[in-house]
Amino acid sequence: MTDAQPSADRRLAAQALAAGDPTGWFEPLYAEAAAGTSTVPWDRDVANPLLVDWLRTATPSRGTRAVVIGCGYGTDAEFVASQGIRTTAFDVSPTAIRGARARFPNSPVTYRVADLLDPPPSWLHAFDLVIESITVQSLPSDIRARAITGIRDLLAPDATLLVIADIGTTPGTTGPPWPLTRADIDSFTTPDLALVRVEAIPRPDVSGLRRWRAEFHRPPRAVD
């Protein structure tokens, strides 16, 4: 009996990591999915329930500018926009962004191809709400700090960051994904980015597993 073949995401991630390109597996995965030879494991028909539940009670103010990181086909971004929030969403995969635009042809969301590790300069400190859902955990631990820095840099003064991730207990596990430990969650904090609350919430789609939902806040700019 032969060993089971690795899933498409792990196969392509292994190839990209071997080539020294930790984000280089997303576009091939979406391209294979577009060709019908693979599936995107995180693709869903409905928005992430941990995001839905949080956003329905968060009551963001009028004019809030949001960005959804690693948006894939756009399901989460569309829900954010449906709450009256000006929404930008990006993914490193051009095929994913084409898929999002095709899936939601009349969308109010601004979809962009962009890399979290090298975001557009115009996005620096530009958003009032930053939503990071399961993107950091798709990157190996050796670039995690760089990815988290990129996320922090998107936050405007008086902005909120929402992080959703699978819960990990052992650093350095084989991935993807590479679930986040509590230490990983705590590493988002800086002197100007405070942890407001962190929850370990059961996943409604997978019995026995939980996810982090962590909320952070950057204080308003001081008035001279």
Side-chain angles (χ1 to χ4, degrees):
M1 179 181 295
T2 59
D3 292 337
Q5 293 297 311
S7 59
D9 56 336
R10 290 199 170 189
R11 168 176 52 83
L12 294 168
Q15 294 171 0
L17 291 173
D21 184 4
T23 65
W25 59 279
F26 295 104
E27 173 59 16
L29 178 63
Y30 280 102
E32 287 191 7
T37 57
S38 295
T39 59
V40 176
W42 50 84
D43 182 29
R44 306 177 307 274
D45 293 329
V46 296
N48 189 311
L50 272 64
L51 169 62
V52 172
D53 175 67
W54 181 86
L55 197 53
R56 283 180 172 161
T57 59
T59 60
S61 61
R62 187 177 182 86
T64 293
R65 303 157 298 172
V67 62
V68 178
I69 296 167
C71 65
Y73 294 127
T75 307
D76 286 351
E78 294 297 319
F79 177 76
V80 175
S82 76
Q83 306 305 296
I85 299 170
R86 289 187 294 164
T87 305
T88 297
F90 71 94
D91 202 283
V92 73
S93 165
T95 300
I97 294 300
R98 285 194 296 270
R101 290 170 176 161
R103 188 176 291 190
F104 304 104
N106 300 312
S107 174
V109 177
T110 300
Y111 286 106
R112 291 276 304 273
V113 177
D115 187 349
L116 176 61
L117 302 180
D118 187 22
S122 61
W123 288 2
L124 183 66
H125 307 314
F127 298 98
D128 309 301
L129 174 60
V130 175
I131 297 168
E132 151 47 15
S133 178
I134 72 169
T135 300
V136 170
Q137 72 177 45
S138 69
L139 301 171
S141 59
D142 58 343
I143 63 166
R144 183 159 290 172
R146 184 178 167 196
I148 291 172
T149 297
I151 291 170
R152 289 197 211 100
D153 287 346
L154 299 173
L155 289 157
D158 201 20
T160 295
L161 166 64
L162 182 68
V163 175
I164 297 171
D166 291 333
I167 294 177
T169 56
T170 306
T173 56
T174 301
W178 292 272
L180 274 58
T181 64
R182 177 56 196 262
D184 290 322
I185 293 294
D186 291 341
S187 73
F188 280 84
T189 62
T190 61
D192 69 342
L193 184 62
L195 177 63
V196 176
R197 66 178 58 88
V198 59
E199 306 164 276
I201 302 176
R203 287 184 60 172
D205 56 332
V206 182
S207 177
L209 294 183
R210 297 181 299 164
R211 275 183 168 162
W212 298 119
R213 183 172 64 186
E215 179 182 340
F216 302 82
H217 183 253
R218 170 165 284 167
R221 182 178 288 116
V223 178
D224 295 332

